Amino acid sequence: MKSLLLALVLAGVPAGVLAQTDSRFALGAQIGTPGAGVQAQFAVNRHFVLGGSYDVLQWERDDTYSDVDYSADVDFQSPGAFVDFHPFGNAFFVSGGAYFGDRSVDLAADEGESIRIGGTEFTAEEVGRLTGRIDLESTAPFLGLGYDNTFTRANRWGVRAVAGAVFGDAPTVSLSSVGGTLSDNALFQALVDLEAEDLQEDADDYKVLPVIQLGVSYRF
């Protein structure tokens, strides 16, 4: 009789709940706009999943800020912590959390070419090496929507897809000229400071960054 009652109870439990009961931990790998990384998950119940991740994005590109051509070196080291809410107990979820860590863009103007600063053309010898840095806020809230069947299917392998955005304050911008014949000139430095203000306006586009990620996970 006890075996029959147990069989009837189990028959009425959804597969997703069984999956959570059997194993609540999962590890996975992901790739997307924050970079490539790994993540760990813990299913509190069929509606809430806690997650932690670490993503790395490192790449170089040529870009133009305030009419100056730069080589941009992007270096984002982004640990994150999130809570996924599955309102219907299925794979659909709403996610909230934050990214942390150092996220910066190092800039170096093309050497050997004249550069227009503050509306005035200067030679490469006068400017020397023009470098800058954009530092994003170290803590940036995240909101997103996604699909994750890690804890809603009998198979231990799962897939995860999420789309959302990271929000932060205005980045911090610095710009300097080194080794040029005018690098120590006060009037020229004032123009460089004005150029940094223009660069700040372009960098403000980094206050909101889109997040699109795809990943796979394995439940233990």
Side-chain angles (χ1 to χ4, degrees):
M1 179 62 70
K2 291 182 179 180
S3 299
L4 178 59
L5 290 175
L6 180 60
L8 291 175
V9 171
L10 292 178
V13 178
V17 178
L18 279 177
Q20 291 186 28
T21 303
D22 290 342
S23 51
R24 294 173 179 264
F25 294 95
L27 294 176
Q30 59 200 15
I31 189 169
T33 52
V38 295
Q39 70 166 347
Q41 294 175 285
F42 173 72
V44 178
N45 52 44
R46 66 192 299 257
H47 292 292
F48 288 96
V49 177
L50 306 181
S53 66
Y54 191 91
D55 295 292
V56 176
L57 178 64
Q58 294 178 323
W59 56 294
E60 297 180 2
R61 60 174 291 183
D62 295 330
D63 213 336
T64 300
Y65 295 96
S66 184
D67 298 326
V68 178
D69 295 329
Y70 293 96
S71 295
D73 186 1
V74 178
D75 186 5
F76 287 6
Q77 310 282 335
S78 304
F82 311 95
V83 177
D84 295 345
F85 173 52
H86 296 252
F88 310 113
N90 58 13
F92 170 77
F93 69 89
V94 179
S95 183
Y99 285 97
F100 310 94
D102 295 328
R103 298 178 298 149
S104 63
V105 181
D106 290 317
L107 303 173
D110 293 342
E111 296 187 55
E113 298 181 3
S114 60
I115 300 176
R116 180 175 293 274
I117 299 177
T120 302
E121 194 86 13
F122 294 94
T123 65
E125 290 75 17
E126 292 172 327
V127 175
R129 181 169 175 80
L130 184 66
T131 61
R133 184 180 175 93
I134 302 173
D135 286 304
L136 278 68
E137 192 176 16
S138 59
T139 300
F142 167 81
L143 288 175
L145 301 173
Y147 175 94
D148 187 350
N149 63 9
T150 302
F151 298 101
T152 61
R153 62 197 304 255
N155 194 311
R156 290 184 180 272
W157 287 98
V159 295
R160 175 182 171 88
V162 62
V166 174
F167 305 88
D169 293 334
T172 301
V173 172
S174 61
L175 190 66
S176 62
S177 167
V178 178
T181 58
L182 295 179
S183 294
D184 296 326
N185 182 283
L187 292 178
F188 177 74
Q189 186 57 51
L191 292 178
V192 172
D193 292 340
L194 289 175
E195 188 69 24
E197 293 179 5
D198 292 339
L199 179 59
Q200 179 72 63
E201 294 181 3
D202 290 340
D204 285 346
D205 293 339
Y206 288 96
K207 288 193 294 185
V208 179
L209 294 175
V211 172
I212 299 176
Q213 280 184 321
L214 296 174
V216 295
S217 57
Y218 183 80
R219 195 178 70 249
F220 293 92

